[in-house]
Amino acid sequence: VFYATNGENFISFTDALFLCFSAMTCTGLQSNDLSLLTGFQQALLFMLMVFGNIVSSSLILRILLLD
């Protein structure tokens, strides 16, 4: 989804994969200037950071295991 939503500035598949993996693990590594991304791509990276965070992951698993 991230790669498919390229805007004016083209991002290669490997860079898109790297950015998504970096956001999911909250390492903060980037291969491109994030200000050149579309708003939707920035929102996707934000959501990946939120759901990939160790605290969010632990809370979600805790809620799922209690049911």
Side-chain angles (χ1 to χ4, degrees):
V1 171
F2 187 86
Y3 176 70
T5 58
N6 269 321
E8 290 180 13
N9 301 312
F10 182 76
I11 298 175
S12 68
F13 179 75
T14 54
D15 284 340
L17 186 64
F18 181 77
L19 280 171
C20 289
F21 187 79
S22 175
M24 193 69 177
T25 57
C26 296
T27 56
L29 301 173
Q30 60 185 8
S31 56
N32 293 335
D33 187 9
L34 297 181
S35 65
L36 299 176
L37 299 177
T38 63
F40 183 71
Q41 286 175 323
Q42 291 176 4
L44 280 175
L45 287 179
F46 175 74
M47 294 307 292
L48 287 173
M49 288 175 63
V50 168
F51 291 121
N53 187 340
I54 189 70
V55 175
S56 301
S57 300
S58 297
L59 287 174
I60 291 170
L61 284 174
R62 177 83 176 175
I63 290 170
L64 290 176
L65 291 177
L66 287 179
D67 289 341

